[in-house]
Amino acid sequence: MRRGLLLHFVLGTLFGIVLTKTQVISWFRIQEMFRFQSFHMYGVLGSAVLVAGVTRRLVRHSVSVLCGDLDDGTLGPPPGERTRFWAGGTLFGLGWALTGACPGPLFALVGGGVGVMWVAITAALAGTWAYGYLRPRLPH
Amino acid sequence: MTLPEIIRAPWPWYVGGPLIGLMVPALLWLGNHRFGMSPALRHLCAATVPGNLTFFQYDWKRSGLWNLTLTAGTVLGGFIATRSFAWTDIAISPATQASLATLGVHDFTGLVPREIFSWASLFTLRGIISVVVGGFLVGFGTAWAGGCTSGHGVTGMASLQPASFIAVLGFFAGGLLGTFLVLPLIS
């Protein structure tokens, strides 16, 4: 357990280094992407998807790779959901363009010394909490 | 290039992208976990203010301790990498620089534009919308969609999930809306 957590911490550290060195945490790079003015972010995402798609087959695993909620499957999404993906995705994309950071980069940015991003993380927590509150009334 | 120069240099997409992709098999191998960063937000809510909401009623330590540990590592990684990094070496596309200049962004030397993301400009209209509203939408949207750039964009698309392709189309719809509609309005 402890050793497993330590390895996850090390992996997270490497992830933060890669996100930063590849400038995925740069607001400017995100702007280039949404303005279709540079290949950089498309190259990052495309090659990440390609490598993940090939290498995940090399590892024996039993976890469902369906994008849902928690990976132990306890609160996974019921089949047939559609609305949540485009509606939630669009709201997320709007936030991504404004902050220039998705959740991973938000955390790398505070480590990188952009202290004001703690406010963005707090706001993101408030957003996740608000979703939890409104969940019974939202279409999925 | 000398070794210090190589360490300080920014990495091109074909180095960083594949390394990000390797997060998927690494996490499967380490603990049979699905790569995704946004669950950290949910776990943090569940750990601190779950309220009476069913969305936060689960054993966050059992489901999420690995994810929160990974996230803590990401903070350290950002710290380490920015200390060994010459940010001025990053060449932002001239077209983007020209577009952003019309929005009042002139300093392209940092991780983020200092004109927007600083304590001093947090309480301007642009600061509040970029940091607070933007952050809120990131948290709300990712919880509703059930994943972010890593969960849907990398893990989901790599396993050819139709839901993830829909979500990523949504990411871009929202991103274009933010870039071409909201940013000019608040600048």
Side-chain angles (χ1 to χ4, degrees), chain A residues 24 26-34 41 96-97 100-101:
Chain A
V24 176
S26 161
W27 183 91
F28 301 108
R29 286 291 189 204
I30 305 305
Q31 276 296 304
E32 278 182 344
M33 173 181 76
F34 283 134
M41 281 301 299
W96 189 13

Side-chain angles (χ1 to χ4, degrees), chain A residues 91-92 95-96 99 101-103 106 124, chain B residues 41 133-143:
Chain A
L91 288 186
F92 167 75
W96 189 13
T99 56
C102 38
L106 275 182
Chain B
L41 298 171
V133 178
F136 185 91
L137 288 172
V138 164
F140 190 94
T142 198

Side-chain angles (χ1 to χ4, degrees), chain B:
Chain B
M1 280 209 291
T2 64
L3 188 64
E5 276 172 351
I6 291 171
I7 291 174
R8 286 173 65 81
W11 294 351
W13 63 265
Y14 49 82
V15 173
L19 288 173
I20 292 171
L22 288 176
M23 288 296 288
V24 171
L27 284 168
L28 286 171
W29 179 72
L30 272 186
N32 216 12
H33 297 310
R34 192 174 68 77
F35 174 50
M37 296 305 288
S38 57
L41 298 171
R42 182 180 180 184
H43 299 318
L44 282 171
C45 286
T48 53
V49 274
N52 264 334
L53 306 173
T54 46
F55 190 57
F56 301 120
Q57 302 296 330
Y58 61 91
D59 186 351
W60 64 271
K61 278 186 197 160
R62 196 175 73 84
S63 305
L65 207 51
W66 70 269
N67 193 293
L68 291 173
T69 312
L70 188 81
T71 306
T74 307
V75 176
L76 178 66
F79 175 82
I80 294 171
T82 41
R83 291 227 153 24
S84 63
F85 200 158
W87 278 98
T88 41
D89 292 350
I90 298 173
I92 300 298
S93 138
T96 305
Q97 294 199 19
S99 310
L100 290 175
T102 65
L103 299 177
V105 175
H106 303 286
D107 183 349
F108 299 94
T109 52
L111 290 155
V112 296
R114 292 182 185 84
E115 289 123 323
I116 304 175
F117 297 93
S118 65
W119 293 108
S121 45
L122 179 59
F123 293 103
T124 62
L125 176 72
R126 188 162 65 167
I128 285 185
I129 291 187
S130 298
V131 177
V132 181
V133 178
F136 185 91
L137 288 172
V138 164
F140 190 94
T142 198
W144 195 3
C148 60
T149 325
S150 46
H152 276 312
V154 179
T155 312
M157 291 216 295
S159 38
L160 303 175
Q161 297 292 328
S164 295
F165 286 92
I166 300 172
V168 171
L169 282 178
F171 296 172
F172 271 83
L176 295 179
L177 213 68
T179 301
F180 293 104
L181 203 75
V182 182
L183 278 183
L185 275 179
I186 60 173
S187 296

Side-chain angles (χ1 to χ4, degrees), chain A residues 18-19 21-24 29 33 39-51, chain B residues 11-21 149 154:
Chain A
V18 174
L19 284 180
K21 296 289 279 184
T22 320
Q23 313 121 56
V24 176
R29 286 291 189 204
M33 173 181 76
F39 179 72
H40 184 85
M41 281 301 299
Y42 295 98
V44 170
L45 278 170
S47 60
V49 170
L50 202 70
V51 168
Chain B
W11 294 351
W13 63 265
Y14 49 82
V15 173
L19 288 173
I20 292 171
T149 325
V154 179

